[in-house]
PDB file of all heavy atoms in Angstrom:
ATOM      1  N   TYR X 216      22.980   3.745  30.684  1.00  0.00           N
ATOM      2  CA  TYR X 216      23.364   3.386  32.043  1.00  0.00           C
ATOM      3  C   TYR X 216      23.542   1.865  32.141  1.00  0.00           C
ATOM      4  O   TYR X 216      23.030   1.117  31.301  1.00  0.00           O
ATOM      5  CB  TYR X 216      22.306   3.883  33.036  1.00  0.00           C
ATOM      6  CG  TYR X 216      22.228   5.399  33.093  1.00  0.00           C
ATOM      7  CD1 TYR X 216      21.029   6.079  32.875  1.00  0.00           C
ATOM      8  CD2 TYR X 216      23.373   6.161  33.349  1.00  0.00           C
ATOM      9  CE1 TYR X 216      20.956   7.469  32.910  1.00  0.00           C
ATOM     10  CE2 TYR X 216      23.310   7.558  33.394  1.00  0.00           C
ATOM     11  CZ  TYR X 216      22.105   8.194  33.172  1.00  0.00           C
ATOM     12  OH  TYR X 216      22.050   9.562  33.203  1.00  0.00           O
ATOM     13  N   PRO X 217      24.284   1.391  33.195  1.00  0.00           N
ATOM     14  CA  PRO X 217      24.666  -0.031  33.257  1.00  0.00           C
ATOM     15  C   PRO X 217      23.529  -1.051  33.092  1.00  0.00           C
ATOM     16  O   PRO X 217      23.726  -2.038  32.378  1.00  0.00           O
ATOM     17  CB  PRO X 217      25.342  -0.144  34.630  1.00  0.00           C
ATOM     18  CG  PRO X 217      25.920   1.217  34.864  1.00  0.00           C
ATOM     19  CD  PRO X 217      24.952   2.186  34.242  1.00  0.00           C
ATOM     20  N   PRO X 218      22.330  -0.857  33.693  1.00  0.00           N
ATOM     21  CA  PRO X 218      21.309  -1.907  33.528  1.00  0.00           C
ATOM     22  C   PRO X 218      20.903  -2.110  32.059  1.00  0.00           C
ATOM     23  O   PRO X 218      20.709  -3.243  31.618  1.00  0.00           O
ATOM     24  CB  PRO X 218      20.114  -1.384  34.341  1.00  0.00           C
ATOM     25  CG  PRO X 218      20.677  -0.356  35.258  1.00  0.00           C
ATOM     26  CD  PRO X 218      21.866   0.233  34.570  1.00  0.00           C
ATOM     27  N   VAL X 219      20.810  -1.004  31.296  1.00  0.00           N
ATOM     28  CA  VAL X 219      20.419  -1.104  29.885  1.00  0.00           C
ATOM     29  C   VAL X 219      21.566  -1.736  29.088  1.00  0.00           C
ATOM     30  O   VAL X 219      21.354  -2.621  28.254  1.00  0.00           O
ATOM     31  CB  VAL X 219      20.042   0.280  29.320  1.00  0.00           C
ATOM     32  CG1 VAL X 219      19.749   0.197  27.829  1.00  0.00           C
ATOM     33  CG2 VAL X 219      18.842   0.848  30.064  1.00  0.00           C
ATOM     34  N   LYS X 220      22.799  -1.293  29.377  1.00  0.00           N
ATOM     35  CA  LYS X 220      23.984  -1.860  28.705  1.00  0.00           C
ATOM     36  C   LYS X 220      24.027  -3.369  28.888  1.00  0.00           C
ATOM     37  O   LYS X 220      24.215  -4.124  27.950  1.00  0.00           O
ATOM     38  CB  LYS X 220      25.253  -1.244  29.304  1.00  0.00           C
ATOM     39  CG  LYS X 220      25.921  -0.309  28.366  1.00  0.00           C
ATOM     40  CD  LYS X 220      27.316   0.084  28.818  1.00  0.00           C
ATOM     41  CE  LYS X 220      27.761   1.197  27.901  1.00  0.00           C
ATOM     42  NZ  LYS X 220      28.179   2.393  28.570  1.00  0.00           N
ATOM     43  N   ARG X 221      23.842  -3.794  30.133  1.00  0.00           N
ATOM     44  CA  ARG X 221      23.900  -5.221  30.444  1.00  0.00           C
ATOM     45  C   ARG X 221      22.808  -5.983  29.680  1.00  0.00           C
ATOM     46  O   ARG X 221      23.074  -7.011  29.046  1.00  0.00           O
ATOM     47  CB  ARG X 221      23.712  -5.427  31.957  1.00  0.00           C
ATOM     48  CG  ARG X 221      23.517  -6.874  32.319  1.00  0.00           C
ATOM     49  CD  ARG X 221      23.282  -7.070  33.802  1.00  0.00           C
ATOM     50  NE  ARG X 221      22.855  -8.433  34.065  1.00  0.00           N
ATOM     51  CZ  ARG X 221      22.249  -8.818  35.173  1.00  0.00           C
ATOM     52  NH1 ARG X 221      22.018  -7.948  36.138  1.00  0.00           N
ATOM     53  NH2 ARG X 221      21.885 -10.076  35.329  1.00  0.00           N
ATOM     54  N   TYR X 222      21.595  -5.452  29.723  1.00  0.00           N
ATOM     55  CA  TYR X 222      20.476  -6.133  29.084  1.00  0.00           C
ATOM     56  C   TYR X 222      20.715  -6.281  27.574  1.00  0.00           C
ATOM     57  O   TYR X 222      20.580  -7.362  27.005  1.00  0.00           O
ATOM     58  CB  TYR X 222      19.176  -5.362  29.365  1.00  0.00           C
ATOM     59  CG  TYR X 222      17.967  -5.955  28.689  1.00  0.00           C
ATOM     60  CD1 TYR X 222      17.465  -7.191  29.082  1.00  0.00           C
ATOM     61  CD2 TYR X 222      17.338  -5.293  27.631  1.00  0.00           C
ATOM     62  CE1 TYR X 222      16.366  -7.753  28.444  1.00  0.00           C
ATOM     63  CE2 TYR X 222      16.239  -5.838  26.996  1.00  0.00           C
ATOM     64  CZ  TYR X 222      15.760  -7.067  27.402  1.00  0.00           C
ATOM     65  OH  TYR X 222      14.675  -7.614  26.763  1.00  0.00           O
ATOM     66  N   ILE X 223      21.123  -5.177  26.925  1.00  0.00           N
ATOM     67  CA  ILE X 223      21.324  -5.220  25.464  1.00  0.00           C
ATOM     68  C   ILE X 223      22.536  -6.091  25.110  1.00  0.00           C
ATOM     69  O   ILE X 223      22.492  -6.862  24.144  1.00  0.00           O
ATOM     70  CB  ILE X 223      21.487  -3.795  24.887  1.00  0.00           C
ATOM     71  CG1 ILE X 223      20.247  -2.936  25.199  1.00  0.00           C
ATOM     72  CG2 ILE X 223      21.732  -3.845  23.377  1.00  0.00           C
ATOM     73  CD1 ILE X 223      18.960  -3.378  24.536  1.00  0.00           C
ATOM     74  N   ASP X 224      23.611  -6.018  25.914  1.00  0.00           N
ATOM     75  CA  ASP X 224      24.769  -6.899  25.683  1.00  0.00           C
ATOM     76  C   ASP X 224      24.340  -8.357  25.667  1.00  0.00           C
ATOM     77  O   ASP X 224      24.758  -9.134  24.809  1.00  0.00           O
ATOM     78  CB  ASP X 224      25.805  -6.725  26.813  1.00  0.00           C
ATOM     79  CG  ASP X 224      26.728  -5.548  26.547  1.00  0.00           C
ATOM     80  OD1 ASP X 224      26.688  -5.020  25.412  1.00  0.00           O
ATOM     81  OD2 ASP X 224      27.468  -5.148  27.473  1.00  0.00           O
ATOM     82  N   GLU X 225      23.499  -8.713  26.626  1.00  0.00           N
ATOM     83  CA  GLU X 225      23.059 -10.110  26.722  1.00  0.00           C
ATOM     84  C   GLU X 225      22.233 -10.516  25.508  1.00  0.00           C
ATOM     85  O   GLU X 225      22.367 -11.621  24.995  1.00  0.00           O
ATOM     86  CB  GLU X 225      22.269 -10.327  28.019  1.00  0.00           C
ATOM     87  CG  GLU X 225      23.158 -10.216  29.250  1.00  0.00           C
ATOM     88  CD  GLU X 225      22.419 -10.443  30.565  1.00  0.00           C
ATOM     89  OE1 GLU X 225      21.197 -10.696  30.547  1.00  0.00           O
ATOM     90  OE2 GLU X 225      23.081 -10.373  31.613  1.00  0.00           O
ATOM     91  N   LEU X 226      21.360  -9.591  25.045  1.00  0.00           N
ATOM     92  CA  LEU X 226      20.559  -9.907  23.858  1.00  0.00           C
ATOM     93  C   LEU X 226      21.471 -10.105  22.653  1.00  0.00           C
ATOM     94  O   LEU X 226      21.295 -11.016  21.846  1.00  0.00           O
ATOM     95  CB  LEU X 226      19.566  -8.778  23.546  1.00  0.00           C
ATOM     96  CG  LEU X 226      18.499  -8.424  24.577  1.00  0.00           C
ATOM     97  CD1 LEU X 226      17.560  -7.356  24.009  1.00  0.00           C
ATOM     98  CD2 LEU X 226      17.698  -9.645  24.999  1.00  0.00           C
ATOM     99  N   GLN X 227      22.485  -9.218  22.568  1.00  0.00           N
ATOM    100  CA  GLN X 227      23.350  -9.239  21.385  1.00  0.00           C
ATOM    101  C   GLN X 227      24.334 -10.403  21.394  1.00  0.00           C
ATOM    102  O   GLN X 227      24.867 -10.759  20.351  1.00  0.00           O
ATOM    103  CB  GLN X 227      24.091  -7.904  21.251  1.00  0.00           C
ATOM    104  CG  GLN X 227      23.125  -6.775  20.891  1.00  0.00           C
ATOM    105  CD  GLN X 227      23.791  -5.420  20.746  1.00  0.00           C
ATOM    106  OE1 GLN X 227      24.907  -5.219  21.229  1.00  0.00           O
ATOM    107  NE2 GLN X 227      23.101  -4.501  20.105  1.00  0.00           N
ATOM    108  N   SER X 228      24.571 -11.007  22.576  1.00  0.00           N
ATOM    109  CA  SER X 228      25.474 -12.170  22.603  1.00  0.00           C
ATOM    110  C   SER X 228      24.811 -13.404  22.001  1.00  0.00           C
ATOM    111  O   SER X 228      25.479 -14.406  21.750  1.00  0.00           O
ATOM    112  CB  SER X 228      25.939 -12.512  24.015  1.00  0.00           C
ATOM    113  OG  SER X 228      26.041 -11.388  24.797  1.00  0.00           O
ATOM    114  N   GLY X 229      23.485 -13.335  21.799  1.00  0.00           N
ATOM    115  CA  GLY X 229      22.807 -14.403  21.063  1.00  0.00           C
ATOM    116  C   GLY X 229      22.909 -15.771  21.694  1.00  0.00           C
ATOM    117  O   GLY X 229      22.977 -15.902  22.920  1.00  0.00           O
ATOM    118  N   ASP X 230      22.958 -16.805  20.835  1.00  0.00           N
ATOM    119  CA  ASP X 230      22.853 -18.175  21.367  1.00  0.00           C
ATOM    120  C   ASP X 230      24.107 -18.633  22.108  1.00  0.00           C
ATOM    121  O   ASP X 230      24.097 -19.672  22.756  1.00  0.00           O
ATOM    122  CB  ASP X 230      22.442 -19.169  20.266  1.00  0.00           C
ATOM    123  CG  ASP X 230      23.362 -19.121  19.070  1.00  0.00           C
ATOM    124  OD1 ASP X 230      24.415 -18.441  19.139  1.00  0.00           O
ATOM    125  OD2 ASP X 230      23.025 -19.759  18.051  1.00  0.00           O
ATOM    126  N   THR X 231      25.195 -17.868  22.029  1.00  0.00           N
ATOM    127  CA  THR X 231      26.379 -18.251  22.796  1.00  0.00           C
ATOM    128  C   THR X 231      26.435 -17.491  24.130  1.00  0.00           C
ATOM    129  O   THR X 231      27.306 -17.730  24.954  1.00  0.00           O
ATOM    130  CB  THR X 231      27.679 -17.953  22.007  1.00  0.00           C
ATOM    131  OG1 THR X 231      27.661 -16.563  21.652  1.00  0.00           O
ATOM    132  CG2 THR X 231      27.760 -18.802  20.750  1.00  0.00           C
TER     133      THR X 231
END
Side-chain angles (χ1 to χ4, degrees):
Y216 294 125
V219 175
K220 251 192 189 125
R221 170 182 169 198
Y222 177 68
I223 301 294
D224 276 349
E225 292 181 0
L226 299 185
Q227 291 180 342
S228 328
D230 55 8
T231 56

